[in-house]
Amino acid sequence: MPHPFVVAPRGGAPVAAAVPGDRWPRESPLDGLPEILRRHVDDPDVTDVFLNGASGLFVDRGDGARPVTGWRADEEEVRDLAVTLIALGGRHIDDATPCVDVRLAGGIRVHAVLPPVCADGTTISLRVPRRTLAGLTDLERAGMFDHRGGERLAGLVADRANLLVTGAAGTGKTTLLAALLGAARREERIVTIEDVAELRIDHPHHVRLEARQPNLEGAGGIDLARLVREALRMRPDRLVVGECRGAEVRELLSALNTGHDGGAGTLHANGLADVPARLEALGALAGLGDGALARQVFSAIGWIVHLSRGADGRRHVAGLGRPRLEDGRLAVEALPWPG
């Protein structure tokens, strides 16, 4: 039986350069996908594609992950696909490095986990970027907020408020942040810093910095905290950290406390009330005590925009808040939305 992931050149046409051992040309990551998988990745409504080992393929079009009929692949085939996808992103996945995250040409983000870390077989998650860049008007049309809410958000951008966009995974934090930054004045210089570059902004002056993982010898890594320090030397009008997940929160807060208005970042949190505990945990990683972190956040962050995803899978702005101090500790005051 032919292997479903083999891609053969047709008619002697030249084949684009590929990573040694790969079956896919680097310039066209969609060309080598199995047809049923490519069809879903190429669908403009699809936001995520999931392969759960040999047990199934699931697709999310914004209304929750739904199983796809007609998909057949055994564990060896799914593992081969994971190895190929990760290699296309310039990294390597094997038993010694079983969890890897990469970005492919076109902005497709691939995360793969091999067994036994993933007990049910190789798991692949693909985040598929929108083909067209969504602005605030597009998100309003999609139901993320109403017209009054859109005007409120646009006003925060125009006022150069420092924003923190929060929410659980998959709630649209990156999508909303990109739309907010796209509403910034055309003359402003935006520098974004991400672990894996996902932010695509409709703006003429956008500089993207992406962290680099260490090589097999453990050398050459550049983390987000280092990139924040480098970005400060690039004279940004708006400094953005795509997601605060560690010690880089210290550098971000320091930067926003030195006159860098209009900055932003995203943070995983289940609700506005959970934001202080989440920031305190990150601050501890950076050596910041609760009191020092509270003062830094209160001074640096103007507004917190929280996103949620309903039972129907629809993403929406669930609340707006402002940091405040409460007996020396960080708290968040929930405000009327859109109000």
Side-chain angles (χ1 to χ4, degrees):
M1 183 175 97
H3 197 292
F5 301 143
V6 173
V7 180
R10 299 180 180 177
V15 179
V19 177
D22 287 345
R23 304 181 180 95
W24 294 3
R26 183 180 288 272
E27 286 81 0
S28 308
L30 294 181
D31 290 347
L33 287 171
E35 195 279 331
I36 188 171
L37 185 58
R38 173 179 175 173
R39 185 169 70 247
H40 293 298
V41 173
D42 209 22
D43 185 336
D45 294 328
V46 169
T47 61
D48 298 88
V49 177
F50 309 106
L51 285 85
N52 297 342
S55 63
L57 171 67
F58 295 78
V59 171
D60 190 342
R61 291 182 174 83
D63 57 354
R66 301 183 182 275
V68 175
T69 58
W71 169 259
R72 295 290 184 274
D74 60 29
E75 168 58 22
E76 180 182 359
E77 292 166 344
V78 177
R79 183 181 177 116
D80 284 349
L81 179 59
V83 170
T84 300
L85 285 167
I86 296 302
L88 284 173
R91 297 193 61 194
H92 179 72
I93 187 169
D94 58 16
D95 291 339
T97 311
C99 309
V100 182
D101 194 32
V102 298
R103 176 175 53 86
L104 303 185
I108 299 172
R109 182 171 178 174
V110 180
H111 181 264
V113 184
L114 302 181
V117 175
C118 193
D120 296 324
T122 300
T123 298
I124 305 172
S125 306
L126 294 94
R127 298 295 302 272
V128 184
R130 293 175 178 267
R131 290 208 172 167
T132 57
L133 301 182
L136 290 176
T137 301
D138 301 306
L139 297 185
E140 178 185 333
R141 192 178 301 118
M144 184 173 277
F145 41 78
D146 60 18
H147 183 67
R148 289 176 61 206
E151 290 183 333
R152 185 78 181 275
L153 293 174
L156 295 179
V157 176
D159 292 342
R160 295 184 54 79
N162 289 335
L163 303 175
L164 186 64
V165 181
T166 64
T171 53
K173 297 186 297 296
T174 300
T175 300
L176 177 59
L177 179 56
L180 291 168
L181 294 171
R185 293 173 59 243
R186 305 289 94 177
E187 298 79 14
E188 293 179 339
R189 174 176 169 87
I190 301 173
V191 179
T192 61
I193 300 159
E194 297 177 89
D195 189 28
V196 175
E198 288 185 286
L199 275 168
R200 297 164 62 240
I201 303 170
D202 182 15
H203 194 279
H205 200 160
H206 175 203
V207 179
R208 301 199 300 170
L209 300 182
E210 183 178 42
R212 187 173 70 186
Q213 299 296 324
N215 59 24
L216 293 178
E217 287 75 37
I222 299 178
D223 61 15
L224 294 180
R226 164 78 181 276
L227 289 180
V228 170
R229 294 193 296 272
E230 297 298 329
L232 290 173
R233 301 183 177 100
M234 300 171 70
R235 214 230 71 185
D237 292 305
R238 293 180 186 262
L239 179 64
V240 179
V241 176
E243 181 180 338
C244 289
R245 63 178 70 187
E248 67 276 0
V249 69
R250 175 183 55 204
E251 277 73 21
L252 175 65
L253 293 175
S254 297
L256 297 182
N257 273 314
T258 55
H260 285 83
D261 295 331
T266 69
L267 179 80
H268 275 88
N270 293 326
L272 282 174
D274 299 315
V275 170
R278 177 70 173 143
L279 285 170
E280 287 175 354
L282 298 185
L285 296 176
L288 291 174
D290 292 346
L293 174 91
R295 291 190 295 274
Q296 287 278 309
V297 173
F298 180 72
S299 175
I301 303 298
W303 300 86
I304 300 170
V305 183
H306 186 73
L307 297 173
S308 184
R309 193 170 188 180
D312 60 357
R314 302 294 177 180
R315 302 166 174 89
H316 63 279
V317 175
L320 187 68
R322 298 200 73 168
R324 61 185 176 89
L325 296 177
E326 193 172 276
D327 297 327
R329 295 283 297 274
L330 180 64
V332 173
E333 177 186 4
L335 301 172
W337 170 258

Short mmCIF file of all heavy atoms in Angstrom, two decimals, residues 70-121:
data_model
loop_
_atom_site.label_atom_id
_atom_site.label_comp_id
_atom_site.label_asym_id
_atom_site.label_seq_id
_atom_site.Cartn_x
_atom_site.Cartn_y
_atom_site.Cartn_z
N GLY A 70 -13.51 9.96 6.98
CA GLY A 70 -12.70 9.63 5.82
C GLY A 70 -11.21 9.66 6.06
O GLY A 70 -10.43 9.36 5.15
N TRP A 71 -10.78 10.05 7.29
CA TRP A 71 -9.35 10.09 7.58
C TRP A 71 -8.89 8.73 8.08
O TRP A 71 -9.49 8.14 8.96
CB TRP A 71 -9.06 11.14 8.64
CG TRP A 71 -7.65 11.08 9.20
CD1 TRP A 71 -7.26 10.52 10.37
CD2 TRP A 71 -6.47 11.58 8.58
NE1 TRP A 71 -5.92 10.66 10.54
CE2 TRP A 71 -5.39 11.30 9.45
CE3 TRP A 71 -6.22 12.25 7.39
CZ2 TRP A 71 -4.09 11.66 9.16
CZ3 TRP A 71 -4.92 12.61 7.10
CH2 TRP A 71 -3.87 12.32 7.97
N ARG A 72 -7.81 8.22 7.48
CA ARG A 72 -7.23 6.96 7.89
C ARG A 72 -5.71 7.09 7.92
O ARG A 72 -5.10 7.45 6.91
CB ARG A 72 -7.60 5.82 6.93
CG ARG A 72 -9.09 5.49 6.89
CD ARG A 72 -9.55 4.82 8.18
NE ARG A 72 -10.96 4.42 8.08
CZ ARG A 72 -11.99 5.20 8.34
NH1 ARG A 72 -11.75 6.46 8.73
NH2 ARG A 72 -13.22 4.76 8.24
N ALA A 73 -5.10 6.80 9.05
CA ALA A 73 -3.65 6.82 9.16
C ALA A 73 -3.26 6.05 10.41
O ALA A 73 -3.94 6.12 11.44
CB ALA A 73 -3.12 8.25 9.24
N ASP A 74 -2.17 5.26 10.30
CA ASP A 74 -1.70 4.55 11.49
C ASP A 74 -0.67 5.41 12.22
O ASP A 74 -0.27 6.48 11.77
CB ASP A 74 -1.14 3.18 11.12
CG ASP A 74 0.05 3.24 10.16
OD1 ASP A 74 0.78 4.25 10.18
OD2 ASP A 74 0.23 2.29 9.39
N GLU A 75 -0.21 4.93 13.37
CA GLU A 75 0.69 5.70 14.22
C GLU A 75 2.00 6.02 13.50
O GLU A 75 2.53 7.14 13.60
CB GLU A 75 0.97 4.93 15.52
CG GLU A 75 2.12 5.48 16.36
CD GLU A 75 1.95 6.92 16.78
OE1 GLU A 75 0.81 7.42 16.81
OE2 GLU A 75 2.97 7.58 17.10
N GLU A 76 2.54 5.08 12.75
CA GLU A 76 3.79 5.32 12.05
C GLU A 76 3.64 6.45 11.04
O GLU A 76 4.53 7.31 10.89
CB GLU A 76 4.26 4.05 11.35
CG GLU A 76 5.58 4.23 10.59
CD GLU A 76 6.02 2.98 9.86
OE1 GLU A 76 5.31 1.96 9.96
OE2 GLU A 76 7.06 3.03 9.18
N GLU A 77 2.52 6.47 10.34
CA GLU A 77 2.30 7.52 9.34
C GLU A 77 2.14 8.89 9.98
O GLU A 77 2.66 9.90 9.48
CB GLU A 77 1.06 7.16 8.50
CG GLU A 77 1.27 5.96 7.62
CD GLU A 77 -0.02 5.41 7.05
OE1 GLU A 77 -1.10 5.75 7.57
OE2 GLU A 77 0.05 4.63 6.09
N VAL A 78 1.44 8.96 11.11
CA VAL A 78 1.26 10.24 11.78
C VAL A 78 2.60 10.72 12.34
O VAL A 78 2.92 11.91 12.26
CB VAL A 78 0.20 10.13 12.90
CG1 VAL A 78 0.07 11.45 13.65
CG2 VAL A 78 -1.14 9.74 12.31
N ARG A 79 3.40 9.81 12.87
CA ARG A 79 4.72 10.20 13.37
C ARG A 79 5.60 10.71 12.22
O ARG A 79 6.31 11.71 12.37
CB ARG A 79 5.39 9.01 14.06
CG ARG A 79 6.75 9.37 14.67
CD ARG A 79 7.40 8.19 15.33
NE ARG A 79 8.73 8.53 15.84
CZ ARG A 79 9.08 8.51 17.12
NH1 ARG A 79 8.19 8.19 18.04
NH2 ARG A 79 10.31 8.82 17.47
N ASP A 80 5.57 10.03 11.07
CA ASP A 80 6.34 10.50 9.92
C ASP A 80 5.91 11.91 9.51
O ASP A 80 6.74 12.76 9.16
CB ASP A 80 6.15 9.55 8.73
CG ASP A 80 6.94 8.26 8.88
OD1 ASP A 80 7.79 8.19 9.79
OD2 ASP A 80 6.69 7.33 8.10
N LEU A 81 4.61 12.17 9.55
CA LEU A 81 4.11 13.49 9.20
C LEU A 81 4.61 14.54 10.19
O LEU A 81 5.01 15.64 9.81
CB LEU A 81 2.58 13.48 9.17
CG LEU A 81 1.90 14.81 8.85
CD1 LEU A 81 2.34 15.33 7.50
CD2 LEU A 81 0.39 14.66 8.89
N ALA A 82 4.62 14.18 11.49
CA ALA A 82 5.12 15.11 12.51
C ALA A 82 6.59 15.44 12.28
O ALA A 82 7.00 16.60 12.34
CB ALA A 82 4.92 14.51 13.90
N VAL A 83 7.39 14.41 11.98
CA VAL A 83 8.82 14.63 11.74
C VAL A 83 9.02 15.55 10.54
O VAL A 83 9.85 16.47 10.56
CB VAL A 83 9.53 13.28 11.53
CG1 VAL A 83 10.96 13.49 11.03
CG2 VAL A 83 9.54 12.47 12.82
N THR A 84 8.25 15.34 9.49
CA THR A 84 8.38 16.14 8.28
C THR A 84 7.98 17.59 8.53
O THR A 84 8.67 18.53 8.12
CB THR A 84 7.52 15.55 7.15
OG1 THR A 84 7.95 14.22 6.88
CG2 THR A 84 7.62 16.38 5.89
N LEU A 85 6.85 17.79 9.21
CA LEU A 85 6.38 19.15 9.48
C LEU A 85 7.37 19.92 10.34
O LEU A 85 7.69 21.09 10.07
CB LEU A 85 5.02 19.10 10.17
CG LEU A 85 3.81 18.76 9.31
CD1 LEU A 85 2.60 18.43 10.18
CD2 LEU A 85 3.47 19.89 8.37
N ILE A 86 7.88 19.28 11.39
CA ILE A 86 8.82 19.95 12.28
C ILE A 86 10.12 20.27 11.54
O ILE A 86 10.70 21.35 11.73
CB ILE A 86 9.09 19.08 13.52
CG1 ILE A 86 7.79 18.92 14.34
CG2 ILE A 86 10.19 19.70 14.37
CD1 ILE A 86 7.16 20.21 14.81
N ALA A 87 10.58 19.37 10.68
CA ALA A 87 11.79 19.63 9.91
C ALA A 87 11.59 20.81 8.96
O ALA A 87 12.51 21.61 8.74
CB ALA A 87 12.19 18.38 9.12
N LEU A 88 10.40 20.96 8.40
CA LEU A 88 10.13 22.10 7.53
C LEU A 88 10.23 23.42 8.29
O LEU A 88 10.51 24.45 7.70
CB LEU A 88 8.74 21.96 6.91
CG LEU A 88 8.62 20.95 5.77
CD1 LEU A 88 7.16 20.78 5.37
CD2 LEU A 88 9.43 21.39 4.57
N GLY A 89 9.98 23.36 9.59
CA GLY A 89 10.12 24.56 10.40
C GLY A 89 11.54 24.77 10.92
O GLY A 89 11.77 25.67 11.72
N GLY A 90 12.48 23.91 10.48
CA GLY A 90 13.87 24.09 10.85
C GLY A 90 14.28 23.46 12.15
O GLY A 90 15.36 23.75 12.68
N ARG A 91 13.45 22.56 12.69
CA ARG A 91 13.80 21.92 13.95
C ARG A 91 13.70 20.40 13.80
O ARG A 91 13.35 19.89 12.74
CB ARG A 91 12.91 22.43 15.09
CG ARG A 91 13.07 23.92 15.37
CD ARG A 91 12.43 24.32 16.69
NE ARG A 91 13.05 23.62 17.80
CZ ARG A 91 12.52 23.58 19.02
NH1 ARG A 91 11.37 24.17 19.26
NH2 ARG A 91 13.12 22.94 19.99
N HIS A 92 13.99 19.70 14.88
CA HIS A 92 14.07 18.24 14.86
C HIS A 92 13.24 17.70 16.02
O HIS A 92 13.28 18.24 17.13
CB HIS A 92 15.53 17.80 14.99
CG HIS A 92 15.72 16.33 15.01
ND1 HIS A 92 15.56 15.54 13.88
CD2 HIS A 92 16.05 15.48 16.01
CE1 HIS A 92 15.80 14.28 14.19
NE2 HIS A 92 16.09 14.21 15.48
N ILE A 93 12.49 16.63 15.77
CA ILE A 93 11.72 15.98 16.82
C ILE A 93 12.08 14.51 16.84
O ILE A 93 12.16 13.86 15.79
CB ILE A 93 10.19 16.19 16.61
CG1 ILE A 93 9.41 15.66 17.80
CG2 ILE A 93 9.72 15.59 15.29
CD1 ILE A 93 7.93 16.05 17.79
N ASP A 94 12.37 13.99 18.02
CA ASP A 94 12.67 12.58 18.19
C ASP A 94 12.41 12.21 19.64
O ASP A 94 11.87 13.02 20.41
CB ASP A 94 14.11 12.25 17.78
CG ASP A 94 15.15 13.05 18.55
OD1 ASP A 94 14.79 13.63 19.61
OD2 ASP A 94 16.31 13.10 18.11
N ASP A 95 12.81 10.99 20.04
CA ASP A 95 12.52 10.54 21.40
C ASP A 95 13.24 11.39 22.44
O ASP A 95 12.77 11.52 23.57
CB ASP A 95 12.93 9.08 21.55
CG ASP A 95 12.03 8.14 20.75
OD1 ASP A 95 10.90 8.56 20.43
OD2 ASP A 95 12.46 7.02 20.44
N ALA A 96 14.39 11.99 22.08
CA ALA A 96 15.10 12.84 23.02
C ALA A 96 14.48 14.22 23.13
O ALA A 96 14.62 14.90 24.15
CB ALA A 96 16.57 12.97 22.60
N THR A 97 13.81 14.67 22.06
CA THR A 97 13.10 15.96 22.05
C THR A 97 11.70 15.70 21.54
O THR A 97 11.39 15.93 20.37
CB THR A 97 13.83 16.97 21.13
OG1 THR A 97 15.22 17.00 21.46
CG2 THR A 97 13.26 18.38 21.30
N PRO A 98 10.81 15.22 22.40
CA PRO A 98 9.50 14.75 21.93
C PRO A 98 8.43 15.81 21.80
O PRO A 98 7.34 15.52 21.30
CB PRO A 98 9.10 13.72 22.99
CG PRO A 98 9.74 14.25 24.24
CD PRO A 98 11.03 14.91 23.82
N CYS A 99 8.69 17.05 22.22
CA CYS A 99 7.70 18.13 22.16
C CYS A 99 8.33 19.32 21.45
O CYS A 99 9.30 19.90 21.97
CB CYS A 99 7.24 18.55 23.55
SG CYS A 99 6.69 17.19 24.60
N VAL A 100 7.79 19.71 20.30
CA VAL A 100 8.40 20.78 19.50
C VAL A 100 7.31 21.66 18.91
O VAL A 100 6.24 21.18 18.53
CB VAL A 100 9.29 20.21 18.37
CG1 VAL A 100 9.96 21.34 17.59
CG2 VAL A 100 10.35 19.27 18.93
N ASP A 101 7.61 22.96 18.81
CA ASP A 101 6.70 23.96 18.27
C ASP A 101 7.45 24.73 17.19
O ASP A 101 8.56 25.22 17.44
CB ASP A 101 6.28 24.90 19.40
CG ASP A 101 5.09 25.76 19.06
OD1 ASP A 101 4.23 25.30 18.29
OD2 ASP A 101 5.02 26.89 19.55
N VAL A 102 6.88 24.84 15.98
CA VAL A 102 7.54 25.56 14.89
C VAL A 102 6.52 26.36 14.10
O VAL A 102 5.31 26.15 14.23
CB VAL A 102 8.28 24.61 13.91
CG1 VAL A 102 9.37 23.83 14.61
CG2 VAL A 102 7.30 23.67 13.22
N ARG A 103 7.03 27.27 13.28
CA ARG A 103 6.20 28.04 12.35
C ARG A 103 6.64 27.73 10.93
O ARG A 103 7.82 27.83 10.61
CB ARG A 103 6.31 29.54 12.64
CG ARG A 103 5.54 30.42 11.66
CD ARG A 103 5.62 31.88 12.09
NE ARG A 103 6.99 32.32 12.29
CZ ARG A 103 7.77 32.77 11.32
NH1 ARG A 103 7.33 32.83 10.07
NH2 ARG A 103 9.01 33.17 11.59
N LEU A 104 5.68 27.38 10.07
CA LEU A 104 5.97 27.09 8.68
C LEU A 104 5.81 28.35 7.83
O LEU A 104 5.25 29.35 8.27
CB LEU A 104 5.05 26.00 8.15
CG LEU A 104 5.05 24.66 8.88
CD1 LEU A 104 4.17 23.66 8.15
CD2 LEU A 104 6.46 24.12 9.05
N ALA A 105 6.27 28.26 6.58
CA ALA A 105 6.05 29.35 5.64
C ALA A 105 4.55 29.60 5.53
O ALA A 105 3.75 28.66 5.51
CB ALA A 105 6.62 28.98 4.27
N GLY A 106 4.17 30.87 5.48
CA GLY A 106 2.75 31.20 5.43
C GLY A 106 2.15 31.41 6.80
O GLY A 106 0.98 31.77 6.91
N GLY A 107 2.93 31.15 7.87
CA GLY A 107 2.44 31.43 9.22
C GLY A 107 1.75 30.29 9.91
O GLY A 107 1.26 30.45 11.03
N ILE A 108 1.67 29.10 9.29
CA ILE A 108 1.05 27.96 9.94
C ILE A 108 1.92 27.54 11.12
O ILE A 108 3.11 27.29 10.98
CB ILE A 108 0.87 26.78 8.97
CG1 ILE A 108 -0.02 27.17 7.80
CG2 ILE A 108 0.30 25.57 9.69
CD1 ILE A 108 -0.10 26.12 6.71
N ARG A 109 1.32 27.44 12.30
CA ARG A 109 2.04 27.04 13.50
C ARG A 109 1.78 25.56 13.78
O ARG A 109 0.62 25.14 13.80
CB ARG A 109 1.63 27.89 14.70
CG ARG A 109 2.38 27.55 15.98
CD ARG A 109 2.10 28.56 17.06
NE ARG A 109 2.77 28.20 18.30
CZ ARG A 109 2.79 28.97 19.39
NH1 ARG A 109 2.17 30.13 19.38
NH2 ARG A 109 3.41 28.58 20.48
N VAL A 110 2.85 24.81 13.98
CA VAL A 110 2.74 23.37 14.18
C VAL A 110 3.32 23.01 15.55
O VAL A 110 4.45 23.40 15.88
CB VAL A 110 3.49 22.58 13.09
CG1 VAL A 110 3.36 21.07 13.33
CG2 VAL A 110 2.98 22.94 11.71
N HIS A 111 2.55 22.28 16.33
CA HIS A 111 3.03 21.74 17.60
C HIS A 111 2.84 20.23 17.55
O HIS A 111 1.77 19.74 17.18
CB HIS A 111 2.25 22.33 18.77
CG HIS A 111 2.71 21.82 20.10
ND1 HIS A 111 2.10 20.78 20.75
CD2 HIS A 111 3.75 22.20 20.90
CE1 HIS A 111 2.72 20.54 21.90
NE2 HIS A 111 3.72 21.39 22.01
N ALA A 112 3.89 19.50 17.88
CA ALA A 112 3.83 18.04 17.83
C ALA A 112 4.37 17.44 19.12
O ALA A 112 5.32 17.96 19.70
CB ALA A 112 4.61 17.51 16.63
N VAL A 113 3.75 16.34 19.55
CA VAL A 113 4.18 15.61 20.73
C VAL A 113 4.21 14.12 20.40
O VAL A 113 3.23 13.58 19.87
CB VAL A 113 3.24 15.84 21.93
CG1 VAL A 113 3.77 15.14 23.18
CG2 VAL A 113 3.05 17.32 22.20
N LEU A 114 5.34 13.48 20.70
CA LEU A 114 5.49 12.05 20.43
C LEU A 114 5.20 11.22 21.67
O LEU A 114 5.35 11.70 22.80
CB LEU A 114 6.93 11.76 19.97
CG LEU A 114 7.45 12.49 18.73
CD1 LEU A 114 8.88 12.04 18.44
CD2 LEU A 114 6.55 12.26 17.53
N PRO A 115 4.81 9.95 21.50
CA PRO A 115 4.71 9.06 22.64
C PRO A 115 6.10 8.71 23.16
O PRO A 115 7.08 8.83 22.41
CB PRO A 115 4.00 7.83 22.05
CG PRO A 115 4.25 7.87 20.59
CD PRO A 115 4.40 9.33 20.23
N PRO A 116 6.26 8.37 24.43
CA PRO A 116 5.20 8.12 25.39
C PRO A 116 4.70 9.36 26.12
O PRO A 116 3.84 9.27 26.97
CB PRO A 116 5.86 7.15 26.37
CG PRO A 116 7.29 7.59 26.38
CD PRO A 116 7.59 7.98 24.96
N VAL A 117 5.29 10.56 25.78
CA VAL A 117 4.79 11.77 26.43
C VAL A 117 3.31 11.94 26.13
O VAL A 117 2.52 12.28 27.01
CB VAL A 117 5.59 13.01 25.94
CG1 VAL A 117 5.01 14.29 26.50
CG2 VAL A 117 7.05 12.87 26.33
N CYS A 118 2.92 11.73 24.88
CA CYS A 118 1.50 11.69 24.52
C CYS A 118 1.08 10.23 24.49
O CYS A 118 1.47 9.47 23.58
CB CYS A 118 1.28 12.35 23.16
SG CYS A 118 -0.44 12.69 22.81
N ALA A 119 0.34 9.80 25.49
CA ALA A 119 0.11 8.38 25.74
C ALA A 119 -0.66 7.69 24.62
O ALA A 119 -0.52 6.48 24.43
CB ALA A 119 -0.63 8.20 27.06
N ASP A 120 -1.48 8.43 23.87
CA ASP A 120 -2.34 7.79 22.86
C ASP A 120 -1.76 7.87 21.45
O ASP A 120 -2.46 7.61 20.48
CB ASP A 120 -3.73 8.45 22.87
CG ASP A 120 -4.45 8.24 24.19
OD1 ASP A 120 -4.29 7.15 24.76
OD2 ASP A 120 -5.14 9.16 24.64
N GLY A 121 -0.50 8.22 21.32
CA GLY A 121 0.12 8.29 20.00
C GLY A 121 0.50 9.71 19.64
O GLY A 121 0.13 10.68 20.31
#
